[in-house]
């Protein structure tokens, strides 16, 4: 029988020269086995022996199991595979009854601050040998001259276009607006040699427009999102139909909310951006089918006020109420009209202390990040009152991107990668005209990221790692989305989308991406009960 | 026989997880497999002198490769247009790496393989191209080999990967477990097409045959691996109706093709003494020798499968030294 050497828990700390792709700073919990961390597992060195014993027990239990274990495994729902001890315990429970208490309760430390960049598109078509290698920023001047000589190969033009975009962005950052302007003209010319129906040509065009707007409107920012709320809703709806990102968001959040509401008879969902309420029919139906019967469901939908006297929030509410009635779910709706999330006060939500509350934020929190890092910034205020509601769950879905960096060039570069990946994924979409309007939706986002500043710039996306830190700091702890949610998200993808999309699990959170680049991340949170708390504790 | 504790935990957890994923009817729980697999993204910021990025090299099949390059002192983090900047050096080895997983598990972005590829960059001063080939049972033979071949042609045609000395790409093929098997078959195809491969590095390569060998009987179930699971993976990979004497599985067996007279590259073959399929691996080495091909065998008596995943044992360091020498001896 193979034994392990339990006396030497070897090479415990992360060895400097052989770490994985995480950044070179050591994790704060010094006790974590560095080598297993490099393999993606978090196990404390001091617990290695216990984990080994549990693995042995699991093996024995599986060996004794009369039915085939792949079937039993399908029924088990596993959480956070990085936490080896816990998922082994989940399986042990399936096979052999409850194990001793799971003692590995890690504070989910954010995966460190990597700049993750996707370059899958650069080699989308095979390259011909490059004619313009080794061009550096210092050679901008000769670059201008070279650009008048246009070669026939589209691939070369595509790369050149990217290079010019970067140069132009750098000029904007350093204030050299005259060179930036001439580059805009040159790029516009180059666009005629590039296929603008798909690939780099398409996304480049949008970035050129955004840069132009930024340059010509000065640093005050323009009203890019001049569209009415009504227009925005239409575009959003088409984005929802054309690609799986929003469906994934809704689906994953609903799964987590459903699990959180288990055992509660009065539940209240607060939706930070109701739109057409696309997320909720599925939840209503799932609650209707709940073993033991559905709870009383209250939905509070937040959205912008309707300008023309219509009460669009109420209209959506009525439609949802009709659906709920048809499946025998007791339902109540309340609309809260607010142009900005920070204008919402908790008393407007009329939360009842006896109900289980779910706060649902699909791509809304980043709008609160504003440029000033003051103490009572909108994000802090809002997170604070959410915490005060003591929700059973807060579902957060955000773009997995770093579009809120102070430096313009950095932001621009990130956005170029991110949106070209997203456009690439959209090409796989079959449905017209949804696709065209979905592109306009994305185009508006690009415009906001690139050409707006100050309070006008609301698309301040930050990556999951940053949200983890922020939310932990605000008194929330992560709830893990499990293998069930993962499996269903993956199945959803196969049903609705083209090949190339992938769902990934990362320490309890799920992300959806195109090939290996995550573009949208979903996580779930709960308020940590305050210790010195004079309000009611959970 | 003693194995370091963290290695034991790692390989055991793989073993148990994999048991859950294989179904008796030959299907595979792919969703759960992807959920459990620990993956890492590519990283343009150099970590310990290596940066990585992903490239889609065949849109039709969605074939991705992850490329690992050594960072230079001048460029702290490469720019988007500098990813495919020409390699600098008279001779720059390019290692095309095929990850293991018995044809069914893992990916190029699995944490364990990302780590291994990064090590290879440092050890060999090479560019490493890790191929995310299609896996069984959804994609049987010859998909993995076809993907390997596509990646090989792609690498061979990159001008930015050419060594200055002769304006050619200096290619090595490497892989562990099923990846080692793929490396062999891609090398055979390469030389048939007249393209040079400088060397093959096979770590615990996955071979087999219909016959039950002595090592299989002796070591069945003793060190993480069972004959039953080996059989399952071959059934999942080989065309339906074929047995383990198929050329893919048993290249020097009754259906094998002779390599005599073919310019097959030199090989470094690492065999773990506690691996139940070692008789097949040793037969492979013997097959190469009989055909007059240069081959170095590293038989690590006390090693189990996966010993090269964590740098906490002597076998690991011995093998890495040998690989370094194998690759550098062409400079």
């Amino acid at each position: 029988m193979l034994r392990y050497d339990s006396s030497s828990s070897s090479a415990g700390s992360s060895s400097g020269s052989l770490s994985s792709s995480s950044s070179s700073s050591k994790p704060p919990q010094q006790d974590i086995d560095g080598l297993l961390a490099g393999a993606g597992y978090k196990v404390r060195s001091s617990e290695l022996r216990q984990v080994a014993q549990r693995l042995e027990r699991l093996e024995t239990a599986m060996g004794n199991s009369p039915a085939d274990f792949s079937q039993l495994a399908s029924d088990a729902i596993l959480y956070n595979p990085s936490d080896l001890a816990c998922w082994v315990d989940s399986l042990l429970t399936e096979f052999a009854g409850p194990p001793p208490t799971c003692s590995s309760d890690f504070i989910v430390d954010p995966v460190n601050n990597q700049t993750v960049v996707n370059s899958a598109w650069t080699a989308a078509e095979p390259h011909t040998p490059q004619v313009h290698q080794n061009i550096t920023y210092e050679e901008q001047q000769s670059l201008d001259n070279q650009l008048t000589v246009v070669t026939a190969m589209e691939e070369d033009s595509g790369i050149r276009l990217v290079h010019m975009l970067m140069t132009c962005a750098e000029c904007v950052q350093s204030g050299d607006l005259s060179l930036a302007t001439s580059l805009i003209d040159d790029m516009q010319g180059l666009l005629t040699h590039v296929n603008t129906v798909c690939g780099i040509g398409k996304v480049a065009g949008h970035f050129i427009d955004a840069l132009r707007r930024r340059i010509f409107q000065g640093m005050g920012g323009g009203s890019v999102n001049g569209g009415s709320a009504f227009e925005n809703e239409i575009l959003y709806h088409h984005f929802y139909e054309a690609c799986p990102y929003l469906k994934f968001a809704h689906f994953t959040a609903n799964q987590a909310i459903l699990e959180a509401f288990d055992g509660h008879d009065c539940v209240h969902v607060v939706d930070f951006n109701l739109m057409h309420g696309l997320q909720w029919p599925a939840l209503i139906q799932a609650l209707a089918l709940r073993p033991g019967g559905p709870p009383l469901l209250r939905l509070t939908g937040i959205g912008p006020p309707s300008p023309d006297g219509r009460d669009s929030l109420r209209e959506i509410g009525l439609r949802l109420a009709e659906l709920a009635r048809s499946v025998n779910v007791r339902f109540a709706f309340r609309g809260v009209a607010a142009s900005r999330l920070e204008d919402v006060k908790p008393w407007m939500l009329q939360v009842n202390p006896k109900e289980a509350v779910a706060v649902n934020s699909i791509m809304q929190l980043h709008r609160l990040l504003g440029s000033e890092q003051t103490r009572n910034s909108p994000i802090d205020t809002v997170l604070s009152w959410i915490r005060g509601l003591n929700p059973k769950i807060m579902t957060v879905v955000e773009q997995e991107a770093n579009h809120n960096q102070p430096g313009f060039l950095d932001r621009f570069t990130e956005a170029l990668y991110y949106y070209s990946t997203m456009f690439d994924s959209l090409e796989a979409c079959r449905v017209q005209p949804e696709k065209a309007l979905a592109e306009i939706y994305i185009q508006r986002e690009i415009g906001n990221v690139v050409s707006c500043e100050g309070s006008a710039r609301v698309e301040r996306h930050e990556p999951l790692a940053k949200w983890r830190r922020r939310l932990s700091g605000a008194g929330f702890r992560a709830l893990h989305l499990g293998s069930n949610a993962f499996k269903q998200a993956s199945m959803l993808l196969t049903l609705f989308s083209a090949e190339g999309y992938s769902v990934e699990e990362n320490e309890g959170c799920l992300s959806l991406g195109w090939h290996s680049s995550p573009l949208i991340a979903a996580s779930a949170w709960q308020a940590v009960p305050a210790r010195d708390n004079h309000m009611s504790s959970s | 026989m003693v194995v370091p504790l963290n290695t034991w935990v790692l390989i055991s957890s793989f073993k148990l997880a994999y048991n859950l994923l294989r179904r008796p009817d030959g299907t595979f729980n792919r969703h759960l497999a992807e959920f459990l697999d620990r993956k890492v993204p590519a990283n343009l910021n150099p970590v310990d002198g290596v940066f990585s990025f992903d490239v889609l090299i065949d849109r039709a099949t969605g074939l991705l490769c992850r490329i690992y390059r050594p960072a230079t002192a001048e460029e702290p983090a490469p720019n988007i247009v500098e990813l495919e900047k020409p390699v600098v050096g008279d001779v720059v080895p390019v290692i095309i790496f095929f990850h293991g997983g018995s044809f069914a598990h893992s990916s190029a972005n699995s944490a364990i393989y990302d780590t291994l590829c990064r090590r290879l960059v440092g050890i060999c001063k090479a560019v490493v191209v890790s191929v995310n080939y299609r896996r069984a049972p959804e994609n049987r033979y010859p998909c993995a080999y076809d993907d390997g071949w596509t990646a090989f042609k792609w690498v061979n045609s990159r001008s930015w990967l050419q060594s200055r000395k002769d304006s050619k790409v200096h290619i090595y093929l490497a892989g562990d477990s099923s990846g080692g098997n793929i490396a062999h078959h891609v090398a055979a195809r390469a030389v048939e097409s007249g393209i040079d491969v400088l060397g093959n590095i096979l770590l615990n390569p996955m071979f087999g045959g219909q016959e039950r060998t002595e090592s299989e009987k002796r070591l069945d179930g003793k060190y993480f691996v069972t004959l039953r699971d080996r059989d399952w993976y071959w059934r999942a990979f080989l065309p339906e109706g074929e047995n383990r004497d198929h050329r893919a599985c048993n290249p020097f067996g009754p259906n094998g093709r002779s390599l005599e007279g073919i310019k097959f590259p030199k090989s470094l073959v690492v065999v773990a003494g506690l691996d139940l399929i070692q008789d097949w691996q040793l037969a492979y080495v013997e097959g190469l020798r009989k055909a007059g091909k240069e081959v170095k065998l590293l038989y690590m008596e006390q090693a189990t499968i996966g010993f090269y995943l964590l740098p906490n044992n002597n076998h690991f360091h011995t093998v890495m030294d040998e690989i370094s020498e194998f690759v550098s001896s062409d400079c």
Side-chain angles (χ1 to χ4, degrees), chain B residues 267-329:
Chain B
S267 298
L268 176 67
V269 182
V270 177
V271 177
L274 301 177
D275 188 344
L276 81 167
I277 61 169
Q278 63 189 268
D279 284 348
W280 293 112
Q281 295 160 338
L282 295 169
Y284 173 77
V285 171
E286 211 24 57
L288 286 177
R289 283 200 180 118
K290 281 213 189 94
K293 306 304 161 211
E294 190 188 331
V295 51
K296 179 165 188 182
L297 167 65
L298 281 180
Y299 186 83
M300 320 299 302
E301 215 177 284
Q302 307 258 305
T304 62
I305 54 150
F307 72 87
Y308 46 81
L309 295 176
L310 299 183
N312 57 5
N313 57 83
N314 289 333
H315 315 301
F316 174 90
H317 293 110
T318 306
V319 166
M320 293 303 148
D321 287 344
E322 291 279 350
I323 292 178
S324 168
E325 214 192 284
F326 185 77
V327 170
S328 73
S329 61

Side-chain angles (χ1 to χ4, degrees), chain A residues 5 19 33 59 82 505 516, chain B residues 3 6 15 38 48 54 80:
Chain A
D5 178 4
S19 54
D33 184 291
E59 178 164 10
S82 287
E505 189 280 344
S516 59
Chain B
V3 158
N6 45 11
K15 176 179 94 172
R38 305 294 76 209
D48 297 326
D54 293 335
I80 173 182

Side-chain angles (χ1 to χ4, degrees), chain A residues 68 70-71 73-74 487 491, chain B residues 14-37 39 99-107 134-140 229-230 232-237:
Chain A
D68 97 74
S70 64
Q71 181 51 53
S74 292
K487 170 173 154 191
M491 277 167 37
Chain B
F14 285 162
K15 176 179 94 172
L16 287 175
Y18 294 179
N19 285 347
L20 303 175
L21 303 172
R22 296 187 302 270
R23 299 201 193 97
D25 65 355
T27 60
F28 189 74
N29 192 338
R30 183 60 65 189
H31 299 305
L32 188 56
E34 292 304 298
F35 176 77
L36 293 175
D37 190 26
K39 298 184 198 292
H99 67 81
S102 306
F103 295 104
H105 297 280
S106 296
S107 308
R134 281 169 293 168
R135 297 162 301 186
E138 302 94 316
N139 301 286
R140 292 176 177 268
D229 69 61
R230 292 299 97 199
W232 190 99
Y233 291 115
W234 284 121
R235 263 198 308 274
F237 174 69

